Amino acid sequence: MICYSCNEAVKDPVCVGCSALQPPGLALDPFVLLGVPRRFHLDGAAIDEGYRAMAKRVHPDKFTARPAVERRMSLQWTASLNEARRVLKDPDKRARLLATGQAEPREKGGPKLDPAFLAEIFEWREQDEESPGALSDLARVREGELRAELDAIFTAWESGAGDLTLVEDRLARLKYVTGLVREQVQ
Amino acid sequence: MANIGIDLGTTNSLVAVVMSGKARCLLDETASPLLPSAVRYDDGGVVVGRDARDQAAAHPERTFTSVKRFMGRAPADCVADAALFRYTMDETEERFVRFAVPGRAPVTPVEVSAEVLKVLRARAIECLFGEPGGAVITVPAYFDDAQRQATKDAARIAGLEVLRLLNEPTAAAIAYGLDKREHGVFAVYDLGGGTFDVSILELNDGIFQVLATAGDTHLGGDDFDRALGEHVLAKAGLDRRDDADHRELLLAVEAAKRRLSDADEATVTVGGATVTVTRADFDAIIRPTVERTGAACRQALADAKLTADKIDAIVLVGGSTRVPLVRTYVGALFGRAPYTDLDPDQVVALGAAMQADILTGSSQLSDDLLLLDVIPLSLGLEVMGGVVEKFIPRCSTIPFSASQSFTTHVDNQTALDLHIVQGDRELARDNRSLGRFTLRGLPLLPAGIPRIRVEFLVDADGILTVNAKEEHTGVEARIEVKPSYGLSDDEIERMLEDSIDNAETDVDVRLLIEARVEADGILTAVQKALGIDAGLLVPGEKEVIDAVVNALVLALPGDDRKRIADLAHKLDEVTAPFAQRRIERDLTLALSGRDAGEVGKQLGLKDSVARGTLDHVPGEKH
């Protein structure tokens, strides 16, 4: 990239030559923004560290004496940075982002759930009628299993094996069973 | 020009500035830093401060105190408060609060606050021997969008440039944290005259971050006075008082309250009777009020996902924290004694001054400090059935942006209404209505086809702006904002015109300086570019540019603002083709396979200009 202000080559959000803030266009990827590796298994402290380092460079308070165009860009940078941290701190959003390129489900309510999975839940409900509490216990167990499965998928992927095709479906199932647990608690 | 910090308080207001690396409050002619936030509208003019406060009993119908409680609020929500302060609200106005004043036009809380700010500005001018640069003004962390906007409006009317609205507890933490260089987690307990809030902040690696904030915008020392007043009346066997007596009683009990911070007992004389109040009586009287602060403290801890033992220090803010019971209560709640080194009345203004100094960019304090605040209440949209769909959750770090997509329900629908609310209740009607937005000019398409992307941006002051675009056609939807409560821009403009302090000469001077700075920037960039890329000029172009440059250089020291601006504009115009050629050349180089680093090297760009305004795309404003 070339600095829009002094034409010097820039790699950073802020031009080394003339300290003009650059447009945030290319750096909106949360992993790039926070300077952390593109992995599921991330250190929370590393995310915070990357966040603080970048915030110090792009926050509006650092640009109060700069031209209006830079003040506006600084607002966009920092808003993106705050969003990036929110996404990467949430394991489910982080997983979805790696698998689909988006932190939020593509369609409202997520992808269609497997009929076999729904049939199983139906069975759980029947069991719950006979012995109350069974549904919430079963859902809790399944929640743990799904998390372990996602963990395994990403561990394999991070070491160069396997792919992420199942992730979106597993996240949808996870959302469903955590919903069940919450519903039963209430 | 030094930047100033202002604590615009319910009861008292202060202005502070950093001088020689140290923050201090500016004093009035009696050597007091406190300006009572009291305003009296006389026939002859406006009286602000101690005189207005002390004479309130003699002029109850034209004196206003505690107007901060009414800032940016809906008239319907203020009826009880107005009755409490015996103010006569203008009931014909539904959108903003307006108080009747005998013999003159009604006034809004924004205008009353502006009078207080004008006095602080004048004090700054006097102490600094000149106009202050910009101001950082503090607001309770719990203030919603409308209340923040109202505060900014007041500053605008007072002729102050607002650099930043800063949350009061954050300002207090800056004052303490910077002084002591502490790292850790702070709780800031701020009990003022009329508002209470508590915030949990983390200071780490030079960054202050508000983790959570909670509070009650209607809880404070005024409530102690009122409770004590009722007690005294009951003890003296007196009935409900009329307006003047009521004010007198409040002044008397307030003095007694102050004495009880040091003494074991105090007497109040009212209606010929003298009532003795012991510290134990007083503690019992105010305990229910003090205990109401506990719920907010627990809420803030829960939001920050912390327990009380994780708090490294507690900072006390607000005059009401001088009350011994409050100190004991806070100490017990958090399991450690609160900090009391700095004057609780001054600590917020001192922190605001430090932040104002940091925002100059040339601060001696700490270049490395950065403040990250959060939005106190969730922002949401009213959807079907009056339910709220939150798009920015409470305690999100600001600035923050979020976007939502909408579509139409009938064919060829050209407009869409959105209702934005702030708060954390499930139903829209239980939350604060911020505004109704109408998107107009949607393309004619069948129902369900348009995708209207609405972007919400909360800036670093916690104030919301909205943009909308139809995604298929790229049509920008026009947004009509109707603030549910508060003043419109036109109303602010009118108040600005009414404001005598904004004399035309002031404005002229500012505009002249702005024109010079702008022209200087363009000039520097042009000269720089000519030095590097003279080879890109076409025959005859240099002569034209030189002529404009010379004329501008001559005009710059003069005070003909229009001529400077015209010449700067002209220079921009005559150099636009040249700038365009430079951009095209750079793009060609960049696209021809070499990386940006090489392009830079080849262009021989090593040094830099401080500010370039030449290299813009023609037609774009800067």
Side-chain angles (χ1 to χ4, degrees), chain B residues 549-566:
Chain B
V549 165
N550 290 337
L552 183 55
V553 168
L554 283 175
L556 216 45
D559 49 16
D560 188 344
R561 163 168 64 85
K562 194 171 172 323
R563 182 163 170 77
I564 295 172
D566 285 350

Side-chain angles (χ1 to χ4, degrees), chain A residues 7 17 56 61-62 64 82, chain B residues 164 205 209 359 367 399 605 608:
Chain A
N7 279 354
K56 279 187 189 178
D61 283 0
K62 302 289 178 193
T64 50
N82 284 327
Chain B
R164 174 62 33 89
D205 194 17
Q209 177 154 21
L359 293 182
D367 268 355
L605 301 179
S608 58

Side-chain angles (χ1 to χ4, degrees), chain A residues 1 4-9 17-18 51-52 55-56 59 61-62 64 66-67 75 78-79 82-83 85-86, chain B residues 164 204-205 207 209 355 359 367-372 397-399 457 582 586 596 605 608-609 612 615:
Chain A
M1 289 238 314
Y4 79 94
S5 172
C6 74
N7 279 354
E8 186 144 356
C18 69
Y51 174 81
R52 284 194 297 267
K56 279 187 189 178
H59 194 272
D61 283 0
K62 302 289 178 193
T64 50
R66 304 285 303 179
L75 201 59
T78 314
N82 284 327
E83 175 65 9
R85 181 176 60 165
R86 193 176 70 91
Chain B
R164 174 62 33 89
N204 192 346
D205 194 17
I207 296 182
Q209 177 154 21
Q355 176 69 4
L359 293 182
D367 268 355
D368 223 22
L369 186 97
L370 184 64
L371 187 68
L372 298 168
T397 309
I398 51 175
L457 178 68
R582 297 184 76 214
D586 294 344
L605 301 179
S608 58
V609 287
D615 308 36

Side-chain angles (χ1 to χ4, degrees), chain B residues 239-250:
Chain B
D239 282 340
R240 215 179 156 274
R241 323 286 296 167
D242 67 29
D243 285 2
D245 284 350
H246 179 77
R247 302 240 191 180
E248 206 178 336
L249 172 69
L250 285 183

Side-chain angles (χ1 to χ4, degrees), chain B residues 197-323:
Chain B
D197 51 75
V198 58
S199 296
I200 312 291
L201 302 116
E202 188 182 26
L203 173 62
N204 192 346
D205 194 17
I207 296 182
F208 269 114
Q209 177 154 21
V210 180
L211 299 179
T213 182
D216 186 333
T217 49
H218 286 83
L219 180 63
D222 291 353
D223 298 303
F224 295 169
D225 297 349
R226 224 172 3 258
L228 186 55
E230 309 256 314
H231 170 84
V232 168
L233 281 184
K235 271 280 184 101
L238 294 168
D239 282 340
R240 215 179 156 274
R241 323 286 296 167
D242 67 29
D243 285 2
D245 284 350
H246 179 77
R247 302 240 191 180
E248 206 178 336
L249 172 69
L250 285 183
L251 276 180
V253 294
E254 206 231 332
K257 174 183 76 176
R258 284 173 188 278
R259 282 198 299 279
L260 283 167
S261 287
D262 298 314
D264 287 334
E265 59 175 56
T267 55
V268 183
T269 304
V270 56
T274 297
V275 177
T276 302
V277 184
T278 67
R279 170 82 68 79
D281 291 341
F282 181 60
D283 286 357
I285 290 163
I286 64 168
R287 185 171 287 278
T289 309
V290 175
E291 284 177 351
R292 274 169 62 198
T293 66
C297 292
R298 283 185 283 272
Q299 170 78 54
L301 281 169
D303 282 347
K305 301 189 177 65
L306 290 171
T307 48
D309 59 304
K310 294 286 187 298
I311 303 296
D312 295 310
I314 302 130
V315 172
L316 294 184
V317 179
S320 303
T321 62
R322 288 207 181 84
V323 172

Side-chain angles (χ1 to χ4, degrees), chain B residues 122-139:
Chain B
R123 190 187 286 181
I125 291 173
E126 196 182 315
C127 296
L128 302 172
F129 305 109
E131 189 76 36
V136 168
I137 300 181
T138 59
V139 289

